[in-house]
Amino acid sequence: MEGDRIEEVTLVHSPVDEISHLALDIGGSLIKMVYFSTSREQPIDKTQNNSSRDSHGGVSRGSKDGRLLNGRLYFLKFETSKINECLDFISSKQLHYRGHQHCGFPASDKNIIKATGGGAFKFADLFKEKLGISLDKVEEMSSLVSGANFLLKAVPSEAFTYVNGQRNYVQIDHNDLYPYLLVNIGSGVSMIKVDGDGKYERVSGTSVGGGTFWGLGKLLTKCKSFDDLLEMSHQGNNRVIDMLVGDIYGGMDYLKIGLSSTAIASSFGKAVSENRELEEYRPEDVARSLLRMISNNIGQIAYLNALRFGLKKIFFGGFFIRGHAYTMDTISVAVDFWSKGEAKAMFLRHEGFLGALGAFMNYQLVEEFPDSIRLMGEKTRDPLVGDLTDNGVIECCVQASN
Ligand SMILES: Nc1ncnc2c1ncn2[C@@H]1O[C@H](COP(=O)(O)OP(=O)(O)OP(=O)(O)O)[C@@H](O)[C@H]1O
Ligand SMILES: CC(C)(CO)[C@@H](O)C(=O)NCCC(=O)O
């Protein structure tokens, strides 16, 4: 577990915080958790002349559509294989009890929490037995889509391209967002054509995804954590193991079919002829080749699906990416190469939390106001550095109907 990180985040809590609306995305590798909390310690924004404290301390402002509440959205993750740590966390913070009737939200049933991902089925009995919690299941693809639509519409500077080591933030035109392809790279990969709010179709998928990178990487490099594997890949050189076009063509390009001498002709192909044992390769180089192989493959399949449906925008999410430069660069180059510059790979700052946010959005509080939660991380920090590739917390404003 990322226990130390979780403590960092939870220390931000004060004992008098009002917590409400916990949502979970229980995936094959990771459990993602999102919950909202208002804080009594929170300073009132004096510039808002119609502000007032609600009875629970969160700032609330009346509006003709409902109530605006300032607070924090907390984002945490746990390893699914250590689900007990997640259960202990919920139990120790009493996340399933606290604040359900508070914060000015419509009351939600005590001990029922929204949950998506396969684990909402697999672990339903465990949640019931250990915590007395019933999981209200939200369909996984629909959660990913509502999470992505919400982020793209409500969060400024959410999406960015990654070209030549440079992030370029994309202004989303709300009237020109659809259709797009959402590629969620979790343990496995889902590719979803999104045509509007609640309008989507899962058009493809591949089992060669984040779980493959982490699983093969663990076996081949003996590294102990995903972050170590990523760090290793950063230090490595894939040319040691990958067979390049130049290796086959005597150092020459094969421009007739658009391949430079440095293009990979065969991932891991050099390992065949060299007769070296695994131990004779640097783990860094192995990690690099592996990351390149998987990112390239996903980029290529994504492009083919975009082509299939004439989609120009491809958004990549899921915790495989982790804001990692080399991963994003490889995916971007693959999409650019195959589409001859026609399609664009874009990444999301809250990449890993689409499903959990989607499940959170499923609470009735946002039913009438689908775009009404505004994440305002920029109030407290530079939005351009405020990625959520790990646990984190962001200031936000929630509109609740009551
Ligand atoms: N700390 C971590 N521990 C394990 N995997 C991690 C970690 N950080 C990033 N990853 C990567 O993220 C992937 C899981 O991503 P994500 O949480 O989006 O999917 P998931 O919901 O678990 O999977 P699925 O949707 O297929 O059930 C892992 O397979 C791994 O590649
Ligand atoms: C099975 C899910 C949807 C579970 O999240 C995911 O792991 C996935 O999309 N896997 C790829 C399966 C396939 O389409 O081949």
Side-chain angles (χ1 to χ4, degrees):
M1 185 188 63
E2 333 260 272
D4 48 348
R5 292 185 185 283
I6 285 169
E7 257 336 287
E8 248 171 57
V9 173
T10 52
L11 284 176
V12 182
H13 273 297
S14 105
V16 289
D17 285 354
E18 301 290 358
I19 295 166
S20 73
H21 295 86
L22 165 68
L24 297 172
D25 173 4
I26 311 175
S29 305
L30 298 173
I31 301 174
K32 283 71 61 178
M33 177 188 286
V34 176
Y35 60 90
F36 180 75
S37 159
T38 57
S39 164
R40 288 171 204 253
E41 262 62 86
Q42 214 167 258
I44 294 179
D45 181 357
K46 297 254 169 41
T47 59
Q48 301 286 347
N49 53 16
N50 60 344
S51 292
S52 65
R53 288 251 163 189
D54 68 13
S55 58
H56 306 286
V59 178
S60 90
R61 296 198 301 279
S63 84
K64 68 176 169 45
D65 298 322
R67 284 148 58 82
L68 288 177
L69 292 151
N70 285 336
R72 292 180 174 133
L73 264 185
Y74 286 78
F75 295 83
L76 289 91
K77 68 174 159 50
F78 302 80
E79 286 177 26
T80 308
S81 58
K82 297 176 185 160
I83 191 163
N84 280 332
E85 293 177 357
C86 172
L87 295 170
D88 291 347
F89 180 78
I90 294 173
S91 169
S92 69
K93 303 287 165 199
Q94 296 282 292
L95 293 182
H96 51 313
Y97 287 126
R98 296 172 60 184
H100 277 284
Q101 313 282 336
H102 300 307
C103 302
F105 288 144
S108 56
D109 284 333
K110 214 166 98 182
N111 286 353
I112 298 181
I113 60 177
K114 301 280 180 191
T116 188
F121 294 82
K122 183 174 171 182
F123 298 113
D125 291 346
L126 186 70
F127 273 81
K128 191 83 203 160
E129 273 163 32
K130 289 248 172 143
L131 300 177
I133 292 178
S134 299
L135 300 182
D136 184 10
K137 298 172 191 69
V138 188
E139 207 278 322
E140 184 180 346
M141 299 300 127
S142 122
S143 297
L144 289 171
V145 170
S146 15
N149 279 346
F150 159 66
L151 288 168
L152 288 167
K153 288 195 270 181
V155 183
S157 311
E158 174 64 25
F160 58 92
T161 57
Y162 195 84
V163 180
N164 299 327
Q166 206 53 46
R167 279 180 181 217
N168 292 308
Y169 286 86
V170 180
Q171 287 304 320
I172 301 292
D173 176 353
H174 289 202
N175 299 315
D176 190 28
L177 173 60
Y178 309 112
Y180 67 83
L181 186 71
L182 176 63
V183 180
N184 192 64
I185 318 178
S187 317
V189 186
S190 283
M191 304 199 182
I192 309 166
K193 175 173 167 283
V194 184
D195 290 303
D197 273 326
K199 282 198 216 146
Y200 64 88
E201 183 190 353
R202 184 182 189 272
V203 292
S204 193
T206 166
S207 61
V208 181
T212 320
F213 173 63
W214 184 201
L216 275 179
K218 215 169 176 176
L219 289 175
L220 293 173
T221 70
K222 308 265 182 287
C223 72
K224 295 277 175 278
S225 81
F226 183 83
D227 287 338
D228 286 351
L229 183 63
L230 267 191
E231 180 52 33
M232 264 192 220
S233 74
H234 191 67
Q235 313 294 334
N237 176 4
N238 73 297
R239 294 179 189 194
V240 177
I241 303 176
D242 290 342
M243 188 185 280
L244 308 186
V245 170
D247 294 327
I248 303 172
Y249 271 75
M252 283 166 40
D253 298 327
Y254 187 177
L255 292 179
K256 199 170 175 206
I257 58 166
L259 296 175
S260 71
S261 64
T262 54
I264 300 172
S266 169
S267 291
F268 284 84
K270 236 182 226 170
V272 177
S273 54
E274 286 195 326
N275 278 328
R276 282 160 74 180
E277 295 299 319
L278 180 59
E279 294 68 36
E280 295 173 69
Y281 288 99
R282 289 171 66 225
E284 289 84 353
D285 298 338
V286 174
R288 183 85 164 199
S289 286
L290 193 57
L291 184 61
R292 187 98 193 246
M293 178 178 83
I294 287 164
S295 306
N296 235 331
N297 194 54
I298 294 170
Q300 183 172 8
I301 298 173
Y303 155 71
L304 289 172
N305 278 287
L307 184 70
R308 225 176 121 199
F309 298 101
L311 309 172
K312 298 273 184 270
K313 287 169 277 189
I314 311 176
F315 293 101
F316 290 87
F319 255 124
F320 166 71
I321 300 171
R322 288 294 292 279
H324 190 251
Y326 190 61
T327 308
M328 296 191 293
D329 188 63
T330 306
I331 291 175
S332 300
V333 168
V335 169
D336 186 69
F337 176 83
W338 289 108
S339 73
K340 300 194 170 61
E342 283 284 296
K344 245 200 200 130
M346 289 174 272
F347 303 92
L348 302 169
R349 275 167 52 213
H350 300 88
E351 53 186 19
F353 287 101
L354 306 186
L357 265 172
F360 180 85
M361 306 290 290
N362 200 264
Y363 280 112
Q364 295 304 310
L365 65 113
V366 288
E367 195 180 46
E368 290 174 48
F369 309 101
D371 303 329
S372 64
I373 298 184
R374 276 169 283 150
L375 303 187
M376 300 195 296
E378 8 327 55
K379 267 172 60 176
T380 48
R381 58 184 178 189
D382 180 349
L384 304 189
V385 293
D387 279 10
L388 258 175
T389 53
D390 265 305
N391 301 318
V393 51
I394 30 185
E395 300 287 330
C396 67
C397 182
V398 171
Q399 183 155 36
S401 54
N402 54 0

